[in-house]
Amino acid sequence: MMHTTVGWHVEMEFMEDDQHTRAVALVRLPDGTEVRAHGRATRHHTDSNQPRVGEEIAGARALNELAMELLTKAHGEIDDASGRTSQPIHV
């Protein structure tokens, strides 16, 4: 039987104008660190103005960067604990 002992909440914030959407993703980890990442989307001038689509694209890009930041953090912790270079962690 598995027990959940930890939960993460990712916060997303968006800044938008008619052409651009910027997203910031933030997760606070149980060790007290915060990992932050950014994503962007630009609407082509011939596309209709659909802010939700810009948010989805910019948000996905921020979450992808957040995942890479977390993998980098994990590698550093593995390396620090073992004193050697860890094997790649595949996404």
Side-chain angles (χ1 to χ4, degrees), residues 5-91:
T5 57
V6 152
W8 293 0
H9 295 276
V10 176
E11 297 177 27
M12 296 287 295
E13 183 175 293
F14 299 95
M15 290 73 60
E16 300 173 276
D17 62 30
D18 288 343
Q19 295 289 109
H20 306 92
T21 303
R22 292 182 300 147
V24 178
L26 170 71
V27 63
R28 290 180 183 91
L29 300 174
D31 67 4
T33 61
E34 292 183 352
V35 181
R36 182 181 313 262
H38 301 85
R40 297 179 184 273
T42 302
R43 180 176 67 87
H44 190 272
H45 65 88
T46 60
D47 292 339
S48 62
N49 189 5
Q50 296 179 298
R52 181 181 48 81
V53 173
E55 290 167 5
E56 290 169 352
I57 293 168
R61 288 174 174 161
L63 290 170
N64 187 54
E65 182 181 309
L66 186 66
M68 295 300 110
E69 293 290 334
L70 288 167
L71 284 171
T72 298
K73 182 180 184 306
H75 270 288
E77 292 173 4
I78 292 168
D79 293 352
D80 290 347
S82 68
R84 60 180 173 77
T85 301
S86 55
Q87 295 294 316
I89 300 172
H90 298 286
V91 179

